[in-house]
Short mmCIF file of all heavy atoms in Angstrom, two decimals:
data_model
loop_
_atom_site.label_atom_id
_atom_site.label_comp_id
_atom_site.label_asym_id
_atom_site.label_seq_id
_atom_site.Cartn_x
_atom_site.Cartn_y
_atom_site.Cartn_z
N ALA A 89 -93.27 -37.09 57.74
CA ALA A 89 -94.03 -36.12 56.94
C ALA A 89 -93.13 -35.38 55.97
O ALA A 89 -91.94 -35.14 56.25
CB ALA A 89 -94.75 -35.13 57.85
N SER A 102 -99.04 -32.10 50.84
CA SER A 102 -98.44 -32.66 52.04
C SER A 102 -98.66 -34.17 52.05
O SER A 102 -99.67 -34.66 51.54
CB SER A 102 -99.09 -32.07 53.31
OG SER A 102 -98.91 -30.68 53.38
N ALA A 104 -98.05 -37.61 54.86
CA ALA A 104 -97.69 -37.96 56.23
C ALA A 104 -98.13 -39.39 56.54
O ALA A 104 -99.10 -39.90 55.96
CB ALA A 104 -98.33 -37.00 57.22
N TRP A 281 -106.21 -16.41 58.44
CA TRP A 281 -104.78 -16.67 58.62
C TRP A 281 -103.94 -15.98 57.55
O TRP A 281 -102.72 -15.82 57.74
CB TRP A 281 -104.51 -18.16 58.63
CG TRP A 281 -105.16 -18.85 59.78
CD1 TRP A 281 -106.38 -19.45 59.80
CD2 TRP A 281 -104.64 -18.97 61.11
NE1 TRP A 281 -106.66 -19.93 61.06
CE2 TRP A 281 -105.61 -19.66 61.88
CE3 TRP A 281 -103.46 -18.58 61.73
CZ2 TRP A 281 -105.43 -19.96 63.23
CZ3 TRP A 281 -103.27 -18.87 63.08
CH2 TRP A 281 -104.24 -19.56 63.82
N TYR A 300 -99.57 -18.39 51.57
CA TYR A 300 -100.11 -19.75 51.57
C TYR A 300 -100.23 -20.23 53.02
O TYR A 300 -99.31 -20.03 53.82
CB TYR A 300 -99.21 -20.70 50.78
CG TYR A 300 -99.76 -22.11 50.72
CD1 TYR A 300 -100.73 -22.46 49.77
CD2 TYR A 300 -99.35 -23.09 51.62
CE1 TYR A 300 -101.26 -23.75 49.73
CE2 TYR A 300 -99.87 -24.37 51.58
CZ TYR A 300 -100.83 -24.69 50.64
OH TYR A 300 -101.36 -25.95 50.61
N ASP A 301 -101.34 -20.88 53.33
CA ASP A 301 -101.59 -21.43 54.67
C ASP A 301 -101.60 -22.95 54.59
O ASP A 301 -102.52 -23.54 54.02
CB ASP A 301 -102.93 -20.92 55.20
CG ASP A 301 -103.33 -21.55 56.54
OD1 ASP A 301 -102.44 -22.10 57.21
OD2 ASP A 301 -104.52 -21.47 56.89
N ARG A 302 -100.56 -23.56 55.16
CA ARG A 302 -100.55 -25.03 55.26
C ARG A 302 -101.24 -25.38 56.57
O ARG A 302 -100.70 -25.19 57.65
CB ARG A 302 -99.12 -25.57 55.26
CG ARG A 302 -99.06 -27.11 55.28
CD ARG A 302 -97.66 -27.60 55.54
NE ARG A 302 -97.21 -27.32 56.89
CZ ARG A 302 -97.52 -28.04 57.96
NH1 ARG A 302 -98.34 -29.08 57.86
NH2 ARG A 302 -97.04 -27.70 59.15
N GLN A 303 -102.43 -25.90 56.46
CA GLN A 303 -103.20 -26.20 57.67
C GLN A 303 -103.49 -27.69 57.78
O GLN A 303 -103.62 -28.38 56.76
CB GLN A 303 -104.51 -25.42 57.68
CG GLN A 303 -105.39 -25.62 56.46
CD GLN A 303 -106.64 -24.77 56.53
OE1 GLN A 303 -107.45 -24.92 57.43
NE2 GLN A 303 -106.78 -23.86 55.57
N SER A 304 -103.55 -28.15 59.00
CA SER A 304 -103.87 -29.56 59.24
C SER A 304 -104.58 -29.68 60.57
O SER A 304 -104.39 -28.85 61.47
CB SER A 304 -102.61 -30.43 59.22
OG SER A 304 -101.77 -30.11 60.30
N SER A 305 -105.40 -30.71 60.68
CA SER A 305 -106.13 -30.97 61.91
C SER A 305 -106.27 -32.46 62.11
O SER A 305 -106.77 -33.17 61.22
CB SER A 305 -107.51 -30.31 61.87
OG SER A 305 -108.22 -30.55 63.08
N PHE A 306 -105.80 -32.93 63.26
CA PHE A 306 -105.87 -34.35 63.60
C PHE A 306 -106.40 -34.42 65.03
O PHE A 306 -105.80 -33.85 65.94
CB PHE A 306 -104.48 -34.98 63.51
CG PHE A 306 -104.41 -36.41 63.99
CD1 PHE A 306 -104.65 -37.45 63.12
CD2 PHE A 306 -104.10 -36.70 65.32
CE1 PHE A 306 -104.59 -38.77 63.56
CE2 PHE A 306 -104.04 -38.01 65.77
CZ PHE A 306 -104.28 -39.05 64.88
N ASP A 307 -107.54 -35.09 65.23
CA ASP A 307 -108.15 -35.13 66.55
C ASP A 307 -108.66 -36.53 66.83
O ASP A 307 -109.59 -37.01 66.19
CB ASP A 307 -109.30 -34.13 66.64
CG ASP A 307 -109.75 -33.88 68.07
OD1 ASP A 307 -109.43 -34.71 68.94
OD2 ASP A 307 -110.41 -32.86 68.32
N CYS A 312 -104.29 -34.82 69.83
CA CYS A 312 -104.83 -33.80 68.94
C CYS A 312 -103.69 -32.94 68.40
O CYS A 312 -102.73 -32.64 69.12
CB CYS A 312 -105.84 -32.93 69.69
SG CYS A 312 -106.37 -31.44 68.82
N SER A 313 -103.81 -32.53 67.14
CA SER A 313 -102.86 -31.59 66.54
C SER A 313 -103.61 -30.68 65.58
O SER A 313 -104.25 -31.17 64.65
CB SER A 313 -101.74 -32.33 65.80
OG SER A 313 -100.88 -31.41 65.14
N LYS A 314 -103.54 -29.40 65.83
CA LYS A 314 -104.16 -28.42 64.94
C LYS A 314 -103.11 -27.35 64.64
O LYS A 314 -102.54 -26.77 65.57
CB LYS A 314 -105.40 -27.80 65.58
CG LYS A 314 -106.51 -28.82 65.84
CD LYS A 314 -107.74 -28.18 66.46
CE LYS A 314 -108.83 -29.22 66.69
NZ LYS A 314 -110.05 -28.63 67.29
N GLU A 315 -102.88 -27.11 63.37
CA GLU A 315 -101.82 -26.15 63.04
C GLU A 315 -102.12 -25.37 61.78
O GLU A 315 -102.79 -25.85 60.86
CB GLU A 315 -100.47 -26.86 62.91
CG GLU A 315 -100.39 -27.95 61.89
CD GLU A 315 -99.05 -28.67 61.97
OE1 GLU A 315 -98.03 -28.04 61.60
OE2 GLU A 315 -99.04 -29.84 62.40
N HIS A 316 -101.61 -24.14 61.78
CA HIS A 316 -101.61 -23.28 60.60
C HIS A 316 -100.18 -22.77 60.46
O HIS A 316 -99.71 -21.98 61.29
CB HIS A 316 -102.58 -22.11 60.78
CG HIS A 316 -104.01 -22.50 60.73
ND1 HIS A 316 -104.76 -22.47 59.57
CD2 HIS A 316 -104.84 -22.95 61.70
CE1 HIS A 316 -106.00 -22.88 59.83
NE2 HIS A 316 -106.08 -23.18 61.12
N GLN A 317 -99.50 -23.23 59.43
CA GLN A 317 -98.16 -22.75 59.11
C GLN A 317 -98.26 -21.95 57.83
O GLN A 317 -98.52 -22.51 56.76
CB GLN A 317 -97.17 -23.90 58.94
CG GLN A 317 -95.74 -23.43 58.71
CD GLN A 317 -94.77 -24.57 58.48
OE1 GLN A 317 -95.13 -25.60 57.91
NE2 GLN A 317 -93.53 -24.39 58.90
N GLU A 345 -99.02 -21.07 64.09
CA GLU A 345 -99.59 -21.38 65.39
C GLU A 345 -99.94 -22.86 65.39
O GLU A 345 -100.57 -23.35 64.46
CB GLU A 345 -100.84 -20.57 65.69
CG GLU A 345 -101.42 -20.89 67.07
CD GLU A 345 -102.76 -20.26 67.33
OE1 GLU A 345 -102.77 -19.11 67.80
OE2 GLU A 345 -103.80 -20.92 67.08
N VAL A 346 -99.52 -23.56 66.45
CA VAL A 346 -99.76 -24.99 66.57
C VAL A 346 -100.31 -25.28 67.96
O VAL A 346 -99.81 -24.75 68.95
CB VAL A 346 -98.47 -25.82 66.34
CG1 VAL A 346 -98.74 -27.31 66.51
CG2 VAL A 346 -97.88 -25.52 64.96
N HIS A 347 -101.34 -26.12 68.02
CA HIS A 347 -101.87 -26.61 69.28
C HIS A 347 -101.76 -28.12 69.31
O HIS A 347 -102.13 -28.80 68.35
CB HIS A 347 -103.32 -26.20 69.48
CG HIS A 347 -103.93 -26.79 70.72
ND1 HIS A 347 -103.57 -26.40 71.98
CD2 HIS A 347 -104.86 -27.78 70.89
CE1 HIS A 347 -104.25 -27.09 72.88
NE2 HIS A 347 -105.03 -27.95 72.23
N ARG A 348 -101.22 -28.66 70.40
CA ARG A 348 -101.04 -30.12 70.52
C ARG A 348 -101.56 -30.62 71.86
O ARG A 348 -101.37 -29.98 72.89
CB ARG A 348 -99.56 -30.50 70.39
CG ARG A 348 -98.95 -30.25 69.02
CD ARG A 348 -99.14 -31.43 68.09
NE ARG A 348 -98.80 -31.08 66.72
CZ ARG A 348 -97.56 -31.11 66.22
NH1 ARG A 348 -96.55 -31.44 67.00
NH2 ARG A 348 -97.35 -30.81 64.97
#
Side-chain angles (χ1 to χ4, degrees):
S102 299
W281 296 93
Y300 182 83
D301 174 18
R302 184 191 68 81
Q303 55 182 299
S304 66
S305 181
F306 174 89
D307 194 342
C312 170
S313 176
K314 297 181 180 180
E315 58 186 290
H316 289 267
Q317 184 183 33
E345 181 188 273
V346 179
H347 175 70
R348 294 272 168 84

